[in-house]
Amino acid sequence: MSALILSAKKVAVIGAAVLVAFAAYFIGSYFWQGAMATSSQPVNGEPRVINLVTGEFKAETADGKEIEAYRWDPGTIFVEKGEPIKLSIYGVNGKEHPFFIEDTEIKGVVQQGKETIVDLKFDKEGVYRLICTTHSDINSNGPMIAYIVVD
């Protein structure tokens, strides 16, 4: 059985590493404020606001063909059954995005540089798809679909 022999130099290096790790943790904890919320908490009985934006990805394939895809961001949101919410969608990319929410009567249009507000309240649990009709599949630079998960 071999004995563990620590020289003063090794102890100093280990101690310094531990000290640096603690310092980094505490300094990081002080400056990092955590993840940014994409929704607000309800105030005075007002509905919670959930923020989405329209986004676009562009790339070039190996043979030089330009491809692009549009999306809602964030792509998935979570709400409680019966919870009134305001969906605030800001148009960043694309001239306009006509949309509907599957299994509801809700539809609208998001225009570039403008905010569209949609009041929502789901009385049934499930997954509802927010679908842009302009970009509904790969052939039309989509699918531009967000998922609203209702628990």
Side-chain angles (χ1 to χ4, degrees), residues 3 14 39 88 90 96:
I14 292 170
S39 69
S88 167
Y90 186 69
E96 68 176 25

Side-chain angles (χ1 to χ4, degrees), residues 13-79:
V13 168
I14 292 170
V18 169
L19 183 63
V20 167
F22 276 115
Y25 172 77
F26 286 111
I27 291 170
S29 297
Y30 177 77
F31 287 106
W32 187 65
Q33 300 300 315
M36 298 299 290
T38 58
S39 69
S40 66
Q41 295 301 318
V43 177
N44 298 329
E46 290 291 315
R48 180 167 59 115
V49 176
I50 298 176
N51 300 289
L52 274 80
V53 296
T54 61
E56 176 184 20
F57 289 98
K58 285 187 178 184
E60 189 174 300
T61 63
D63 62 357
K65 179 182 174 188
E66 186 177 283
I67 57 174
E68 63 183 355
Y70 287 90
R71 60 168 281 135
W72 305 106
D73 192 36
T76 304
I77 59 173
F78 297 88
V79 300

Side-chain angles (χ1 to χ4, degrees), residues 75-137:
T76 304
I77 59 173
F78 297 88
V79 300
E80 297 292 324
K81 179 177 139 184
E83 175 188 13
I85 62 168
K86 284 189 178 289
L87 194 57
S88 167
I89 311 171
Y90 186 69
V92 176
N93 296 106
K95 185 177 179 180
E96 68 176 25
H97 298 280
F99 68 88
F100 69 96
I101 298 177
E102 207 170 45
D103 297 328
T104 73
E105 300 295 319
I106 299 166
K107 58 185 174 181
V109 177
V110 177
Q111 296 178 333
Q112 188 174 38
K114 295 184 180 177
E115 179 185 35
T116 300
I117 302 289
V118 181
D119 293 313
L120 296 173
K121 183 177 174 182
F122 294 94
D123 295 323
K124 183 178 168 190
E125 291 182 355
V127 178
Y128 297 81
R129 298 188 314 158
L130 170 65
I131 302 171
C132 172
T133 58
T134 302
H135 307 291
S136 60
D137 58 31

